[in-house]
Amino acid sequence: MVGSCAAFAMVMRGVASEIVLIDRNEKLAVAQAQDILHGTPFAAPTRIWAGSYADLADADVVVLSAGVSQEPGESRLHLLERNAKVFGAVIPSVLAHAPRTLLLVTSNPVDVMTDIARRISGLPPERVIGSGTVLDTARFRALLGEHVGVSPKSVHAYVLGEHGDSEVLWWSGANVGNVGVQAMAEQLNRPIDPAARARIEDAVRRAAYRIIDGKGATWFGIGSGLARIVQAIATDEKALLSISTATDICEGISDVTLSLPRIVGASGAGACLVPKLDQEERAALQRSAEILKEAADSVHI
């Protein structure tokens, strides 16, 4: 569902000229491709079909959404061993036909899976990107906008670190326009008191668990986020997005894959915005980096 929703969102946004869906269940891939194709008269004239790995030749981006689903109550890190085996089979098949592609990973736990994809593929770190906290950031912005009463597109806020339980909401760097979100909330008589902050934090952190409990998995939000990342790559936009990729050092933790705001364009992940964090946020980001580093190091490729 994540792969097909990402393809649908890409068609709706008009960010790709050709999209091929590949799945072990060929009948499912054909059905999804046909269903999306029938929507192209209402959107962009994208060519979309179901195919095989050979159809990936000359692909600019390959989205990796393969893997087993997260079960109710299961943390993303518990998925690690099962999904690492899936990548061990999929990535060599991808690169056999598209050796110069950019890999966009969305399988969970996405930060560790992005690290695994980099190690399996041997590609430069900037060409192996994880969707990371792009969805968490969208959730944070949407909830802040709802609370303050402005469009989330006017909210500039990021979620850092792990796409998961240890993620860090960068409150001290959150702005509405060019005004700090706390100050703006007070101007609009909608202060962010401790109760409101706790409610927003819980809604961002627990969103996936609540959605999984209700319908089994999340797909619309992350599909839209993937389409946004692909758009930045396809147009060489140089957009600042909270994506996950290998980082030399983060809060004293070296060679760790996690989300920070990065410039995204045709070459993949570019320069990183080093966030100015308060003491509590720095400690939380360090802890998140430690968790991800430990998890990635536990997997031997």
Side-chain angles (χ1 to χ4, degrees):
M1 289 303 299
V2 170
S4 58
C5 280
F8 178 70
M10 289 177 207
V11 169
M12 292 296 106
R13 293 183 74 101
V15 303
S17 58
E18 294 182 301
I19 299 173
V20 58
L21 303 183
I22 301 170
D23 197 279
R24 184 171 59 180
N25 183 343
E26 184 178 355
K27 186 177 180 180
L28 174 62
V30 169
Q32 295 283 34
Q34 284 288 302
D35 198 11
I36 297 170
L37 176 66
H38 298 159
T40 56
F42 309 112
T46 308
R47 184 183 175 218
I48 181 166
W49 76 101
S52 65
Y53 287 110
D55 292 302
L56 295 177
D58 300 323
D60 293 317
V61 183
V62 173
V63 177
L64 297 175
S65 59
V68 293
S69 298
Q70 186 177 8
E71 297 177 356
E74 181 182 28
S75 73
R76 293 178 177 91
L77 292 179
H78 289 161
L79 290 173
L80 176 57
E81 291 295 338
R82 294 193 291 158
N83 276 336
K85 293 178 181 178
V86 175
F87 270 28
V90 169
I91 290 176
S93 299
V94 168
L95 295 180
H97 298 282
R100 292 180 295 278
T101 194
L102 189 153
L103 299 180
L104 176 51
V105 180
T106 191
S107 304
N108 276 320
V110 68
D111 305 291
V112 182
M113 294 306 298
T114 302
D115 186 81
I116 289 171
R118 175 178 61 90
R119 290 153 61 189
I120 292 173
S121 68
L123 293 173
E126 64 271 15
R127 297 195 65 78
V128 184
I129 295 175
S131 56
T133 59
V134 72
L135 177 55
D136 310 86
T137 290
R139 289 168 175 159
F140 190 23
R141 293 178 180 181
L143 290 166
L144 284 175
E146 182 180 56
H147 180 87
V148 176
V150 302
S151 166
K153 290 190 175 183
S154 296
V155 178
H156 307 285
Y158 294 91
V159 176
L160 315 173
E162 178 196 2
H163 170 56
D165 297 337
S166 72
E167 64 189 22
V168 181
L169 279 67
W170 185 15
W171 282 96
S172 66
N175 294 284
V176 178
N178 64 349
V179 179
V181 70
Q182 295 281 4
M184 178 61 79
E186 290 176 5
Q187 286 183 33
L188 298 175
N189 294 318
R190 299 186 180 189
I192 302 176
D193 56 23
R197 176 165 170 161
R199 175 182 57 79
I200 291 171
E201 288 231 7
D202 180 73
V204 173
R205 294 182 189 280
R206 304 295 300 175
Y209 295 112
R210 293 187 176 106
I211 293 170
I212 289 168
D213 183 61
K215 69 174 193 176
T218 66
W219 51 74
F220 293 122
I222 186 57
S224 300
L226 290 165
R228 179 68 186 92
I229 296 170
V230 170
Q231 181 182 37
I233 296 166
T235 61
D236 196 22
E237 184 180 349
K238 305 292 194 297
L240 196 63
L241 301 172
S242 56
I243 50 95
S244 182
T245 193
T247 304
D248 289 338
I249 189 164
C250 178
E251 298 300 331
I253 310 301
S254 60
D255 190 26
V256 60
T257 299
L258 80 176
S259 284
L260 293 169
R262 290 182 170 87
I263 297 172
V264 181
S267 298
C272 173
L273 170 67
V274 180
K276 186 177 181 181
L277 307 174
D278 63 27
Q279 186 174 357
E280 182 179 348
E281 291 165 344
R282 289 192 64 181
L285 184 57
Q286 181 183 52
R287 178 55 181 156
S288 188
E290 289 172 347
I291 290 170
L292 291 170
K293 176 69 171 176
E294 181 180 355
D297 287 350
S298 70
V299 181
H300 301 287
I301 304 299

